[in-house]
Amino acid sequence: LISLNLADNHIHADGGKYFGRALKQNSSLQNLNLRLNRLGDEGGKLLLEGVLDNKVLKQLNLSCNALDYSSAQTASAIIEKSSCLQSLDLSCNLLSEEAGRLLQDGMQNNSKLAAMDLR
């Protein structure tokens, strides 16, 4: 499986926890679309923790999931450290100005991410 689109599937925080666990072990999934779910900040953080250890995911769409500061902290670490993630969509979330600063800090040391949407 290379691409998985589960947009608008009512996935909540528990789903984020399970996706995080799966992504830590993933060796093939390159594109994951979880747009328009209900992860919330905690579920987003747990999912993104799995992306930290992932070596193959290239595109991640977490738009419209009510993510904020905790998710932004983990996303910032991913942006800074990931050697494979090329596209990250965090648009239409509840990202505060402080969360935006965290993401900006991650971008300062990034050389791989080609696209990030924060609309």
Side-chain angles (χ1 to χ4, degrees):
L1 185 65
I2 294 172
S3 184
L4 181 61
N5 184 345
L6 291 174
D8 202 8
N9 269 283
H10 306 284
I11 299 169
H12 293 266
D14 279 345
K17 175 175 67 176
Y18 297 120
F19 269 105
R21 288 180 187 168
L23 287 167
K24 283 183 181 183
Q25 300 173 8
N26 168 54
S27 62
S28 63
L29 189 67
Q30 296 177 21
N31 183 351
L32 178 59
N33 183 351
L34 292 174
R35 178 182 162 276
L36 280 169
N37 280 288
R38 299 175 180 162
L39 292 172
D41 200 33
E42 183 62 22
K45 175 183 178 255
L46 293 169
L47 183 146
L48 288 163
E49 286 174 353
V51 177
L52 270 170
D53 297 324
N54 186 287
K55 305 294 184 221
V56 294
L57 192 67
K58 293 180 180 178
Q59 297 178 332
L60 178 61
N61 186 338
L62 293 178
S63 61
C64 304
N65 270 289
L67 307 182
D68 193 13
Y69 188 82
S70 293
S71 297
Q73 279 183 307
T74 309
S76 178
I78 292 166
I79 292 166
E80 186 173 340
K81 298 174 184 174
S82 177
S83 61
C84 59
L85 192 66
Q86 298 171 0
S87 175
L88 178 60
D89 188 341
L90 298 175
S91 63
C92 300
N93 279 293
L94 305 172
L95 298 172
S96 64
E97 188 174 322
E98 194 173 350
R101 281 192 211 102
L102 286 171
L103 295 169
Q104 181 182 7
D105 291 345
M107 287 298 294
Q108 290 179 354
N109 296 317
N110 176 276
S111 62
K112 191 69 172 176
L113 195 67
M116 183 164 67
D117 192 344
L118 297 174
R119 287 179 280 160

